[in-house]
Amino acid sequence: MNDPKRQHAATVTVLAPGLLGPVPLLPEQAPLTPVLDLLLKRGRPQHAPDAQAELTSLTLRLLQRFGAVSSAPYARAADDPSWDRRGVVLQADPVHLRPDRDQLRLFDARHLGISQAEADALVQEVNAHLVDDGLRLVAPVASRWYLELAESPQIETHPLETVIGRHIDGFLPTGAGAGRWAALMTELQMLLFQSPVNQARQERGRPAVNALWIWGAGHWQPLALEPNRSRCWSRLCADHALARGLAMAAGLEVLSAAAPVDQPGTLMVADEMADGMLDADAGLWTMAAARLETRLEGAFAALRAGQLAAIELDLCDGRRWFITRGDLRRFWRRGPALKTLVVARPN
């Protein structure tokens, strides 16, 4: 397989943000991961010069690797198959903002337990407020909402995953339209605070859905993957909405996260370890890492059999490893095992 295009097409690519933590994990709690250890020890690091200079972001890495410029239209296309894919769309995800001293800390919908009925009721209230602004909010799934716009909002925004658990100062929209959107976000916070839906949630001891996090504006267009730079895939194995929407726009076969990843030209998205890291949940991270280990066994068997040219591991923070069949025989390479890299170091 000397042809670079053919080699890329015969590669399995794994996007695994959060694989190296850090998480609050004792060394003896780490799962046994001989396959991942082999990849880290024998694989060739191909780290970017500024690796770890930025926060880990699966969203930004997916956009980069698919050659797209915005997330909202592709995530919506996956969440809302009946959408006509016209116009500008902006992600407006339901979140909980909690006062923390003199700032607000953001918590995303993963732990809010929003029902579809609650989402529909809140969306109806918001749309009644937005009727004169030329905006329309939709909630195809309870945890991910989208705003339809007549034109570009003219703002620069931050992906939700980079703000989770953090103070929102420093992450608010910037750009020519920032003033308008800051005012609108404040209006919607006041509206949501007074909503009967949130009053009922608080009576049940549930956190209020008291804000929308806006980001990722753009319009949908088909994508063409170039047969180079490790972007020549034919199938996706993922449940991640943005990944599925981008893959559909690029004409890939879209399968569930549980599908086998031992076929050439497969892109796999393993995003659960990032959730464990965000929540400092050692149990969640351990289970996700163990699942990834099991799923990669088939890919390594195919690599040993010569059915794959390589396996690429991308942590979405500038760190990557690339392993070929020949690398498996380089026993003198003695990189660190996973458990020696993942455990959070004491301050």
Side-chain angles (χ1 to χ4, degrees), residues 28-157:
E28 58 268 24
Q29 294 177 307
L32 295 175
T33 55
V35 171
L36 285 164
D37 291 348
L38 186 63
L39 196 159
L40 294 170
K41 291 179 178 181
R42 306 273 176 89
R44 287 169 283 159
Q46 296 188 342
H47 304 333
D50 58 346
Q52 295 184 280
E54 298 293 337
L55 291 172
T56 298
S57 176
L58 175 59
T59 294
L60 297 179
R61 191 65 174 132
L62 281 168
L63 294 176
Q64 181 184 50
R65 298 203 63 153
F66 275 90
V69 296
S70 57
S71 60
Y74 299 103
R76 182 178 179 184
D79 282 337
D80 187 4
S82 63
W83 176 46
D84 62 12
R85 301 181 183 179
R86 296 180 181 176
V88 178
V89 63
L90 178 70
Q91 291 185 241
D93 289 321
V95 299
H96 174 75
L97 298 181
R98 180 179 302 170
D100 184 13
R101 297 182 181 178
D102 58 346
Q103 299 186 70
L104 293 173
R105 190 180 297 273
L106 182 146
F107 298 88
D108 64 312
R110 289 174 303 135
H111 304 301
L112 298 184
I114 307 169
S115 70
Q116 190 63 53
E118 288 176 321
D120 292 341
L122 288 169
V123 164
Q124 185 175 10
E125 293 179 37
V126 170
N127 279 333
H129 181 80
L130 298 177
V131 66
D132 295 328
D133 293 304
L135 306 173
R136 177 174 174 265
L137 184 66
V138 296
V141 296
S143 59
R144 287 186 297 276
W145 303 358
Y146 302 90
L147 265 175
E148 297 176 347
L149 292 73
E151 57 187 13
S152 171
Q154 296 185 316
I155 52 176
E156 299 294 329
T157 58

Side-chain angles (χ1 to χ4, degrees), residues 21 31 57 64 81 93 102 122 141 179 209 240 242 253 271 285 315 318:
S57 176
Q64 181 184 50
D93 289 321
D102 58 346
L122 288 169
V141 296
V209 181
H240 189 270
L242 175 58
E253 180 184 12
D271 56 321
W285 181 93
L315 302 192

Side-chain angles (χ1 to χ4, degrees), residues 14 16 19 30-40 261 268 270 272-273 285-301 304 311 313 337-339:
V14 180
L19 176 62
L32 295 175
T33 55
V35 171
L36 285 164
D37 291 348
L38 186 63
L39 196 159
L40 294 170
V261 294
M268 171 188 174
E272 291 178 301
M273 290 165 294
W285 181 93
T286 299
M287 289 188 293
R291 281 193 292 269
L292 176 59
E293 169 76 12
T294 299
R295 298 194 61 209
L296 285 180
E297 290 174 353
F300 268 79
R304 289 189 178 95
I311 298 173
L313 176 67
L338 176 63
K339 75 175 184 178

